[in-house]
Amino acid sequence: MHRTRSWSKLLLGAFAGIALLYIIKKYMHDRSLPVALKSLPVPFKHGPTPPRVKAIYPDRQTFAYRCDSPIWIEFDMPMNNATITKDTVIVKSSASAEPVDGLLDVGSRMLMFRPYNEYPMDESGAEITITLLGSETGSGFIMDERGIALDGNKNGKPGGDFVYTYRVVR
């Protein structure tokens, strides 16, 4: 009795294996099967991930009523501090043609910009825009410790400028 069960299990397993092989071969050679089911795409990452801006402080609401507020930018990985300069971090006011002059303090993953005076404003206020250069513009660009350019436009590729705008009201 015990031997009969073993043989029946073995035959059942062999039959299941043959049926599975038949189904696989049939569908692999069948031209009516959609192309999408014949080959599944495999996502690949091409090269190392470029650095990005992780967070910016303060938020727009807090900044709106501060005429001299510093701006902090946090990166998602350690940056090359030598590439973060007044040439690659540009702060402008809509009320002035010249960039805003201020102190730029740089750490491994943070930068801080504090204006020397209040941000230039007109009678209603101003838009304050901070731009971090991630693309070659003649004055350089911001990169991480590995030498990879900032992904400013968040498309997953090195390069592209990061632009963030605040509104200051009077």
Side-chain angles (χ1 to χ4, degrees):
M1 178 87 170
H2 181 64
R3 286 186 184 186
T4 312
R5 281 190 199 167
S6 296
W7 280 104
S8 63
K9 287 181 183 178
L10 182 64
L11 286 173
L12 185 62
F15 177 73
I18 291 169
L20 185 61
L21 284 174
Y22 172 77
I23 291 169
I24 290 172
K25 285 184 178 182
K26 179 182 179 213
Y27 283 110
M28 288 300 199
H29 295 292
D30 187 7
R31 302 250 184 231
S32 66
L33 188 66
V35 175
L37 295 177
K38 288 184 181 178
S39 66
L40 298 174
V42 179
F44 289 103
K45 286 194 173 196
H46 301 286
T49 305
R52 289 185 171 185
V53 171
K54 182 177 179 181
I56 188 162
Y57 311 100
D59 60 32
R60 285 185 171 108
Q61 185 175 358
T62 304
F63 192 91
Y65 299 100
R66 299 276 318 264
C67 302
D68 62 347
S69 181
I71 300 170
W72 290 274
I73 294 181
E74 181 181 4
F75 299 101
D76 66 351
M77 57 186 61
M79 303 302 286
N80 179 343
N81 294 352
T83 64
I84 302 175
T85 66
K86 289 189 179 186
D87 292 329
T88 59
V89 177
I90 302 157
V91 180
K92 287 193 166 193
S93 169
S94 61
S96 172
E98 295 296 315
V100 177
D101 197 20
L103 171 70
L104 184 62
D105 189 18
V106 181
S108 174
R109 290 181 179 241
M110 292 281 287
L111 76 80
M112 188 266 308
F113 176 83
R114 178 184 304 274
Y116 290 136
N117 300 307
E118 290 185 353
Y119 292 105
M121 289 189 282
D122 54 27
E123 53 280 341
S124 64
E127 285 189 351
I128 308 302
T129 302
I130 184 163
T131 303
L132 307 179
L133 299 181
S135 303
E136 183 65 54
T137 61
S139 56
F141 57 94
I142 297 173
M143 63 179 108
D144 66 8
E145 289 180 340
R146 303 168 297 168
I148 300 172
L150 176 71
D151 176 12
N153 55 7
K154 296 187 178 184
N155 66 355
K157 298 175 187 171
D161 299 341
F162 175 82
V163 180
Y164 194 84
T165 302
Y166 288 104
R167 176 88 179 133
V168 181
V169 293
R170 234 184 239 269

